[in-house]
Amino acid sequence: MPDSINRSAEAPAFARAVLDVIRKIPPAKVMTYGDIAEFLERGTARQVGAVLAGYGSEVTWWRVVDSTGRLPEHLRGEAAANYLSEGTPFDLERERVRLRACRWDGSE
DNA sequence: ATAATGACGTCGG
DNA sequence: TCCGACGCCATTA
């Protein structure tokens, strides 16, 4: 049954997979949109971003950033608060996570 | 069928 | 480092 004709409110398979990965990211660690697509060996960074746009509020969305360690303008404030509270290496000046220090590869 | 869109990524200036 | 131009690809118009 293709997602295109699935009218239920359930998240499509790809979205569920993305959300599951995000739930596994440890506190103070982050993954990029591209990292997630690569980890799943499915989809692209843009598609992962689309999933966050639709279901992001259900997970720890601030632990997913772009390849430069940033998030879109409208989310930076909330994200910064979380980084501060969970101790994520964060550059307050440039409003971006220090990827070199806390990028997570998916291993435990 | 065609075109615009978007929580992206890479590269060149 | 910063920023614009492009490439990318499923979804939406």
Side-chain angles (χ1 to χ4, degrees), chain A residues 12-68:
Chain A
F14 179 64
R16 285 208 319 275
V18 169
L19 298 176
D20 284 338
V21 173
I22 296 174
R23 283 187 263 258
K24 292 176 187 169
I25 304 175
K29 287 286 179 181
V30 304
M31 277 182 95
T32 67
Y33 299 96
D35 286 344
I36 292 176
E38 181 187 308
F39 183 84
L40 292 174
E41 292 187 284
R42 182 177 179 188
T44 65
R46 278 197 104 97
Q47 290 172 263
V48 171
V51 170
L52 270 288
Y55 308 86
S57 59
E58 299 177 16
V59 294
T60 53
W61 52 268
W62 60 89
R63 293 178 188 160
V64 183
V65 301
D66 67 22
S67 72
T68 73

Short mmCIF file of all heavy atoms in Angstrom, two decimals, chain A residues 12-68:
data_model
loop_
_atom_site.label_atom_id
_atom_site.label_comp_id
_atom_site.label_asym_id
_atom_site.label_seq_id
_atom_site.Cartn_x
_atom_site.Cartn_y
_atom_site.Cartn_z
N PRO A 12 4.24 7.85 7.88
CA PRO A 12 4.71 6.91 6.86
C PRO A 12 5.95 6.17 7.38
O PRO A 12 6.63 6.66 8.29
CB PRO A 12 5.05 7.81 5.67
CG PRO A 12 4.15 8.98 5.85
CD PRO A 12 4.12 9.20 7.34
N ALA A 13 6.26 5.03 6.78
CA ALA A 13 7.41 4.23 7.20
C ALA A 13 8.71 5.02 7.29
O ALA A 13 9.43 4.92 8.28
CB ALA A 13 7.59 3.05 6.25
N PHE A 14 9.03 5.79 6.27
CA PHE A 14 10.28 6.56 6.29
C PHE A 14 10.33 7.51 7.47
O PHE A 14 11.33 7.62 8.17
CB PHE A 14 10.45 7.34 4.98
CG PHE A 14 11.71 8.16 4.95
CD1 PHE A 14 12.96 7.54 4.99
CD2 PHE A 14 11.65 9.55 4.90
CE1 PHE A 14 14.13 8.29 4.99
CE2 PHE A 14 12.82 10.31 4.90
CZ PHE A 14 14.06 9.68 4.93
N ALA A 15 9.21 8.19 7.72
CA ALA A 15 9.16 9.15 8.83
C ALA A 15 9.38 8.42 10.15
O ALA A 15 10.13 8.89 11.01
CB ALA A 15 7.81 9.87 8.85
N ARG A 16 8.76 7.26 10.32
CA ARG A 16 8.93 6.51 11.58
C ARG A 16 10.38 6.14 11.77
O ARG A 16 10.93 6.26 12.86
CB ARG A 16 8.07 5.24 11.57
CG ARG A 16 6.60 5.47 11.78
CD ARG A 16 5.95 4.24 12.44
NE ARG A 16 6.46 2.98 11.89
CZ ARG A 16 5.98 2.39 10.79
NH1 ARG A 16 4.96 2.96 10.13
NH2 ARG A 16 6.48 1.27 10.37
N ALA A 17 11.03 5.70 10.69
CA ALA A 17 12.44 5.31 10.78
C ALA A 17 13.29 6.49 11.23
O ALA A 17 14.15 6.36 12.10
CB ALA A 17 12.91 4.79 9.42
N VAL A 18 13.04 7.66 10.63
CA VAL A 18 13.80 8.85 10.98
C VAL A 18 13.59 9.22 12.45
O VAL A 18 14.55 9.48 13.18
CB VAL A 18 13.37 10.05 10.10
CG1 VAL A 18 13.96 11.35 10.63
CG2 VAL A 18 13.82 9.82 8.66
N LEU A 19 12.34 9.21 12.87
CA LEU A 19 12.04 9.57 14.26
C LEU A 19 12.68 8.60 15.24
O LEU A 19 13.16 9.00 16.30
CB LEU A 19 10.51 9.60 14.47
CG LEU A 19 9.77 10.64 13.61
CD1 LEU A 19 8.27 10.53 13.82
CD2 LEU A 19 10.27 12.04 13.94
N ASP A 20 12.71 7.32 14.89
CA ASP A 20 13.33 6.32 15.77
C ASP A 20 14.81 6.60 15.96
O ASP A 20 15.34 6.48 17.06
CB ASP A 20 13.15 4.90 15.20
CG ASP A 20 11.73 4.38 15.40
OD1 ASP A 20 11.04 4.89 16.30
OD2 ASP A 20 11.32 3.46 14.66
N VAL A 21 15.49 6.97 14.88
CA VAL A 21 16.92 7.26 14.99
C VAL A 21 17.13 8.45 15.90
O VAL A 21 17.98 8.44 16.78
CB VAL A 21 17.53 7.59 13.60
CG1 VAL A 21 18.98 8.05 13.77
CG2 VAL A 21 17.47 6.36 12.71
N ILE A 22 16.33 9.49 15.69
CA ILE A 22 16.46 10.69 16.51
C ILE A 22 16.29 10.39 17.99
O ILE A 22 17.01 10.92 18.83
CB ILE A 22 15.42 11.75 16.07
CG1 ILE A 22 15.71 12.18 14.63
CG2 ILE A 22 15.46 12.95 17.01
CD1 ILE A 22 14.67 13.11 14.04
N ARG A 23 15.36 9.51 18.31
CA ARG A 23 15.13 9.15 19.71
C ARG A 23 16.34 8.47 20.34
O ARG A 23 16.48 8.45 21.56
CB ARG A 23 13.89 8.26 19.83
CG ARG A 23 12.58 9.05 19.73
CD ARG A 23 11.36 8.17 20.02
NE ARG A 23 10.74 7.68 18.81
CZ ARG A 23 9.63 8.18 18.28
NH1 ARG A 23 9.01 9.18 18.86
NH2 ARG A 23 9.13 7.68 17.17
N LYS A 24 17.22 7.92 19.52
CA LYS A 24 18.40 7.22 20.04
C LYS A 24 19.61 8.14 20.23
O LYS A 24 20.60 7.76 20.85
CB LYS A 24 18.80 6.09 19.08
CG LYS A 24 17.80 4.96 19.04
CD LYS A 24 18.23 3.93 17.97
CE LYS A 24 17.16 2.87 17.78
NZ LYS A 24 17.45 2.04 16.58
N ILE A 25 19.54 9.34 19.68
CA ILE A 25 20.68 10.25 19.84
C ILE A 25 20.80 10.63 21.31
O ILE A 25 19.85 11.13 21.90
CB ILE A 25 20.47 11.54 19.01
CG1 ILE A 25 20.23 11.19 17.54
CG2 ILE A 25 21.69 12.45 19.15
CD1 ILE A 25 19.90 12.40 16.67
N PRO A 26 21.96 10.37 21.92
CA PRO A 26 22.20 10.68 23.34
C PRO A 26 22.17 12.18 23.61
O PRO A 26 22.47 12.98 22.71
CB PRO A 26 23.59 10.10 23.61
CG PRO A 26 23.85 9.15 22.49
CD PRO A 26 23.17 9.77 21.31
N PRO A 27 21.86 12.57 24.83
CA PRO A 27 21.85 13.99 25.20
C PRO A 27 23.24 14.57 24.94
O PRO A 27 24.23 13.86 25.05
CB PRO A 27 21.54 13.96 26.71
CG PRO A 27 20.71 12.71 26.85
CD PRO A 27 21.37 11.74 25.94
N ALA A 28 23.28 15.84 24.58
CA ALA A 28 24.56 16.52 24.31
C ALA A 28 25.26 16.00 23.07
O ALA A 28 26.45 16.24 22.86
CB ALA A 28 25.48 16.43 25.51
N LYS A 29 24.53 15.24 22.25
CA LYS A 29 25.10 14.73 20.99
C LYS A 29 24.15 15.16 19.88
O LYS A 29 22.97 15.42 20.14
CB LYS A 29 25.19 13.20 21.02
CG LYS A 29 26.29 12.67 21.93
CD LYS A 29 27.64 12.89 21.29
CE LYS A 29 28.77 12.41 22.18
NZ LYS A 29 30.08 12.66 21.56
N VAL A 30 24.62 15.22 18.66
CA VAL A 30 23.76 15.59 17.53
C VAL A 30 24.11 14.81 16.28
O VAL A 30 25.19 14.21 16.20
CB VAL A 30 23.88 17.09 17.19
CG1 VAL A 30 23.57 17.96 18.40
CG2 VAL A 30 25.26 17.38 16.64
N MET A 31 23.19 14.80 15.32
CA MET A 31 23.43 14.17 14.02
C MET A 31 22.95 15.19 13.01
O MET A 31 22.10 16.02 13.32
CB MET A 31 22.60 12.89 13.87
CG MET A 31 23.22 11.65 14.51
SD MET A 31 22.22 10.14 14.24
CE MET A 31 23.02 9.45 12.81
N THR A 32 23.49 15.15 11.80
CA THR A 32 23.04 16.09 10.78
C THR A 32 21.93 15.38 9.99
O THR A 32 21.78 14.17 10.08
CB THR A 32 24.17 16.46 9.80
OG1 THR A 32 24.52 15.31 9.04
CG2 THR A 32 25.38 16.99 10.55
N TYR A 33 21.19 16.16 9.22
CA TYR A 33 20.10 15.59 8.40
C TYR A 33 20.71 14.52 7.49
O TYR A 33 20.17 13.43 7.32
CB TYR A 33 19.45 16.68 7.56
CG TYR A 33 18.83 17.79 8.37
CD1 TYR A 33 19.54 18.97 8.62
CD2 TYR A 33 17.56 17.66 8.90
CE1 TYR A 33 18.98 19.99 9.37
CE2 TYR A 33 16.99 18.68 9.66
CZ TYR A 33 17.71 19.84 9.90
OH TYR A 33 17.17 20.85 10.65
N GLY A 34 21.85 14.86 6.90
CA GLY A 34 22.50 13.93 5.99
C GLY A 34 22.98 12.67 6.69
O GLY A 34 22.89 11.58 6.12
N ASP A 35 23.47 12.82 7.91
CA ASP A 35 23.95 11.66 8.67
C ASP A 35 22.82 10.65 8.83
O ASP A 35 23.03 9.44 8.71
CB ASP A 35 24.40 12.08 10.08
CG ASP A 35 25.73 12.81 10.08
OD1 ASP A 35 26.44 12.74 9.06
OD2 ASP A 35 26.05 13.44 11.09
N ILE A 36 21.63 11.14 9.12
CA ILE A 36 20.49 10.27 9.34
C ILE A 36 20.10 9.51 8.07
O ILE A 36 19.87 8.31 8.10
CB ILE A 36 19.29 11.08 9.89
CG1 ILE A 36 19.62 11.56 11.30
CG2 ILE A 36 18.02 10.23 9.89
CD1 ILE A 36 18.58 12.45 11.93
N ALA A 37 20.08 10.22 6.95
CA ALA A 37 19.74 9.57 5.68
C ALA A 37 20.79 8.50 5.38
O ALA A 37 20.46 7.39 4.94
CB ALA A 37 19.71 10.61 4.55
N GLU A 38 22.04 8.82 5.64
CA GLU A 38 23.13 7.88 5.37
C GLU A 38 23.02 6.67 6.29
O GLU A 38 23.16 5.54 5.86
CB GLU A 38 24.46 8.58 5.59
CG GLU A 38 25.68 7.71 5.32
CD GLU A 38 26.98 8.41 5.72
OE1 GLU A 38 27.17 9.56 5.27
OE2 GLU A 38 27.76 7.81 6.49
N PHE A 39 22.76 6.94 7.56
CA PHE A 39 22.63 5.87 8.55
C PHE A 39 21.52 4.91 8.16
O PHE A 39 21.66 3.69 8.26
CB PHE A 39 22.33 6.47 9.92
CG PHE A 39 22.23 5.46 11.02
CD1 PHE A 39 23.37 5.00 11.67
CD2 PHE A 39 20.98 4.96 11.41
CE1 PHE A 39 23.28 4.04 12.69
CE2 PHE A 39 20.88 4.01 12.43
CZ PHE A 39 22.03 3.55 13.06
N LEU A 40 20.40 5.43 7.68
CA LEU A 40 19.26 4.60 7.29
C LEU A 40 19.46 3.97 5.92
O LEU A 40 18.76 3.05 5.54
CB LEU A 40 17.98 5.44 7.26
CG LEU A 40 17.45 5.96 8.59
CD1 LEU A 40 16.27 6.88 8.35
CD2 LEU A 40 17.05 4.79 9.47
N GLU A 41 20.43 4.51 5.17
CA GLU A 41 20.66 4.06 3.80
C GLU A 41 19.35 4.20 3.03
O GLU A 41 18.95 3.29 2.30
CB GLU A 41 21.15 2.61 3.77
CG GLU A 41 22.54 2.45 4.36
CD GLU A 41 23.09 1.04 4.17
OE1 GLU A 41 22.62 0.14 4.91
OE2 GLU A 41 23.95 0.84 3.31
N ARG A 42 18.71 5.32 3.25
CA ARG A 42 17.42 5.56 2.59
C ARG A 42 17.12 7.05 2.67
O ARG A 42 17.43 7.69 3.66
CB ARG A 42 16.33 4.77 3.33
CG ARG A 42 14.98 4.93 2.69
CD ARG A 42 13.94 4.09 3.39
NE ARG A 42 12.64 4.28 2.77
CZ ARG A 42 11.51 3.81 3.26
NH1 ARG A 42 11.53 3.10 4.36
NH2 ARG A 42 10.38 4.05 2.64
N GLY A 43 16.57 7.61 1.60
CA GLY A 43 16.23 9.01 1.60
C GLY A 43 17.42 9.94 1.47
O GLY A 43 18.56 9.50 1.33
N THR A 44 17.16 11.25 1.52
CA THR A 44 18.21 12.27 1.39
C THR A 44 18.05 13.26 2.55
O THR A 44 17.06 13.24 3.27
CB THR A 44 18.04 13.06 0.09
OG1 THR A 44 16.81 13.79 0.13
CG2 THR A 44 18.05 12.13 -1.12
N ALA A 45 19.05 14.10 2.70
CA ALA A 45 19.01 15.10 3.77
C ALA A 45 17.72 15.92 3.69
O ALA A 45 17.06 16.16 4.70
CB ALA A 45 20.22 16.02 3.67
N ARG A 46 17.37 16.36 2.51
CA ARG A 46 16.16 17.17 2.33
C ARG A 46 14.93 16.43 2.81
O ARG A 46 14.01 17.02 3.38
CB ARG A 46 16.00 17.54 0.86
CG ARG A 46 16.82 18.74 0.46
CD ARG A 46 16.32 19.32 -0.86
NE ARG A 46 15.57 20.53 -0.60
CZ ARG A 46 16.09 21.75 -0.69
NH1 ARG A 46 17.32 21.91 -1.08
NH2 ARG A 46 15.36 22.80 -0.42
N GLN A 47 14.86 15.14 2.54
CA GLN A 47 13.70 14.36 2.95
C GLN A 47 13.65 14.24 4.47
O GLN A 47 12.58 14.27 5.06
CB GLN A 47 13.75 12.98 2.31
CG GLN A 47 13.51 13.04 0.81
CD GLN A 47 13.75 11.69 0.13
OE1 GLN A 47 14.82 11.47 -0.41
NE2 GLN A 47 12.80 10.81 0.17
N VAL A 48 14.81 14.09 5.08
CA VAL A 48 14.86 14.00 6.53
C VAL A 48 14.34 15.32 7.09
O VAL A 48 13.58 15.35 8.06
CB VAL A 48 16.30 13.74 7.03
CG1 VAL A 48 16.36 13.86 8.56
CG2 VAL A 48 16.75 12.35 6.60
N GLY A 49 14.73 16.41 6.46
CA GLY A 49 14.28 17.72 6.90
C GLY A 49 12.76 17.83 6.81
O GLY A 49 12.11 18.40 7.67
N ALA A 50 12.19 17.24 5.76
CA ALA A 50 10.75 17.28 5.57
C ALA A 50 10.06 16.54 6.70
O ALA A 50 9.00 16.96 7.18
CB ALA A 50 10.39 16.66 4.22
N VAL A 51 10.65 15.44 7.15
CA VAL A 51 10.06 14.67 8.24
C VAL A 51 10.06 15.51 9.51
O VAL A 51 9.07 15.57 10.25
CB VAL A 51 10.85 13.37 8.51
CG1 VAL A 51 10.37 12.70 9.80
CG2 VAL A 51 10.70 12.41 7.34
N LEU A 52 11.18 16.20 9.78
CA LEU A 52 11.26 17.04 10.98
C LEU A 52 10.21 18.15 10.92
O LEU A 52 9.61 18.50 11.94
CB LEU A 52 12.66 17.64 11.10
CG LEU A 52 13.71 16.85 11.88
CD1 LEU A 52 13.39 16.90 13.36
CD2 LEU A 52 13.72 15.41 11.41
N ALA A 53 9.99 18.70 9.72
CA ALA A 53 9.03 19.79 9.58
C ALA A 53 7.64 19.31 9.97
O ALA A 53 6.86 20.05 10.57
CB ALA A 53 9.03 20.29 8.14
N GLY A 54 7.33 18.05 9.65
CA GLY A 54 6.01 17.53 9.94
C GLY A 54 5.84 16.88 11.30
O GLY A 54 4.79 17.03 11.92
N TYR A 55 6.85 16.14 11.76
CA TYR A 55 6.73 15.43 13.03
C TYR A 55 7.78 15.80 14.07
O TYR A 55 7.84 15.18 15.13
CB TYR A 55 6.81 13.92 12.77
CG TYR A 55 5.86 13.40 11.72
CD1 TYR A 55 6.22 13.41 10.36
CD2 TYR A 55 4.61 12.89 12.07
CE1 TYR A 55 5.35 12.94 9.38
CE2 TYR A 55 3.74 12.41 11.10
CZ TYR A 55 4.11 12.44 9.76
OH TYR A 55 3.24 11.97 8.80
N GLY A 56 8.59 16.79 13.76
CA GLY A 56 9.66 17.16 14.67
C GLY A 56 9.25 17.38 16.12
O GLY A 56 9.98 17.00 17.03
N SER A 57 8.09 17.96 16.33
CA SER A 57 7.65 18.26 17.69
C SER A 57 7.50 17.01 18.55
O SER A 57 7.43 17.10 19.77
CB SER A 57 6.33 19.03 17.66
OG SER A 57 5.33 18.28 17.00
N GLU A 58 7.46 15.84 17.94
CA GLU A 58 7.29 14.59 18.69
C GLU A 58 8.61 14.05 19.26
O GLU A 58 8.61 13.08 20.01
CB GLU A 58 6.66 13.50 17.80
CG GLU A 58 5.28 13.88 17.28
CD GLU A 58 4.71 12.82 16.33
OE1 GLU A 58 5.24 11.69 16.32
OE2 GLU A 58 3.75 13.15 15.61
N VAL A 59 9.71 14.63 18.85
CA VAL A 59 11.01 14.13 19.31
C VAL A 59 11.98 15.22 19.76
O VAL A 59 11.60 16.39 19.85
CB VAL A 59 11.70 13.30 18.20
CG1 VAL A 59 10.91 12.04 17.92
CG2 VAL A 59 11.87 14.14 16.96
N THR A 60 13.23 14.82 20.04
CA THR A 60 14.26 15.78 20.45
C THR A 60 14.87 16.42 19.20
O THR A 60 16.05 16.21 18.89
CB THR A 60 15.36 15.08 21.26
OG1 THR A 60 15.86 13.97 20.51
CG2 THR A 60 14.83 14.59 22.59
N TRP A 61 14.07 17.21 18.49
CA TRP A 61 14.45 17.84 17.22
C TRP A 61 15.72 18.69 17.25
O TRP A 61 16.40 18.85 16.25
CB TRP A 61 13.28 18.71 16.72
CG TRP A 61 12.78 19.68 17.73
CD1 TRP A 61 11.78 19.49 18.62
CD2 TRP A 61 13.31 20.99 17.99
NE1 TRP A 61 11.64 20.61 19.41
CE2 TRP A 61 12.56 21.54 19.06
CE3 TRP A 61 14.34 21.75 17.42
CZ2 TRP A 61 12.82 22.81 19.57
CZ3 TRP A 61 14.59 23.02 17.93
CH2 TRP A 61 13.83 23.53 18.98
N TRP A 62 16.04 19.27 18.42
CA TRP A 62 17.24 20.14 18.47
C TRP A 62 18.52 19.33 18.33
O TRP A 62 19.59 19.89 18.16
CB TRP A 62 17.25 20.95 19.77
CG TRP A 62 17.27 20.10 21.00
CD1 TRP A 62 18.38 19.63 21.65
CD2 TRP A 62 16.14 19.60 21.73
NE1 TRP A 62 18.01 18.86 22.73
CE2 TRP A 62 16.63 18.82 22.80
CE3 TRP A 62 14.75 19.72 21.56
CZ2 TRP A 62 15.79 18.17 23.71
CZ3 TRP A 62 13.92 19.08 22.47
CH2 TRP A 62 14.44 18.32 23.53
N ARG A 63 18.43 17.99 18.42
CA ARG A 63 19.63 17.16 18.26
C ARG A 63 19.89 16.84 16.81
O ARG A 63 20.75 16.01 16.48
CB ARG A 63 19.51 15.87 19.08
CG ARG A 63 19.51 16.14 20.57
CD ARG A 63 19.34 14.87 21.39
NE ARG A 63 19.15 15.22 22.81
CZ ARG A 63 18.60 14.41 23.72
NH1 ARG A 63 18.22 13.19 23.36
NH2 ARG A 63 18.46 14.81 24.95
N VAL A 64 19.15 17.45 15.90
CA VAL A 64 19.37 17.26 14.47
C VAL A 64 19.63 18.62 13.86
O VAL A 64 18.76 19.50 13.91
CB VAL A 64 18.14 16.62 13.80
CG1 VAL A 64 18.42 16.37 12.33
CG2 VAL A 64 17.77 15.32 14.49
N VAL A 65 20.82 18.82 13.32
CA VAL A 65 21.19 20.11 12.75
C VAL A 65 21.70 19.94 11.33
O VAL A 65 21.90 18.82 10.86
CB VAL A 65 22.30 20.76 13.60
CG1 VAL A 65 21.81 20.96 15.03
CG2 VAL A 65 23.54 19.90 13.58
N ASP A 66 21.93 21.06 10.65
CA ASP A 66 22.44 20.95 9.28
C ASP A 66 23.96 20.77 9.32
O ASP A 66 24.56 20.76 10.39
CB ASP A 66 22.03 22.16 8.43
CG ASP A 66 22.68 23.45 8.89
OD1 ASP A 66 23.73 23.41 9.57
OD2 ASP A 66 22.14 24.52 8.56
N SER A 67 24.58 20.64 8.18
CA SER A 67 26.01 20.34 8.12
C SER A 67 26.90 21.44 8.69
O SER A 67 28.08 21.23 8.88
CB SER A 67 26.44 20.03 6.69
OG SER A 67 26.43 21.21 5.93
N THR A 68 26.33 22.61 8.99
CA THR A 68 27.14 23.69 9.56
C THR A 68 26.84 23.82 11.05
O THR A 68 27.33 24.73 11.73
CB THR A 68 26.87 25.04 8.88
OG1 THR A 68 25.59 25.54 9.28
CG2 THR A 68 26.92 24.91 7.38
#
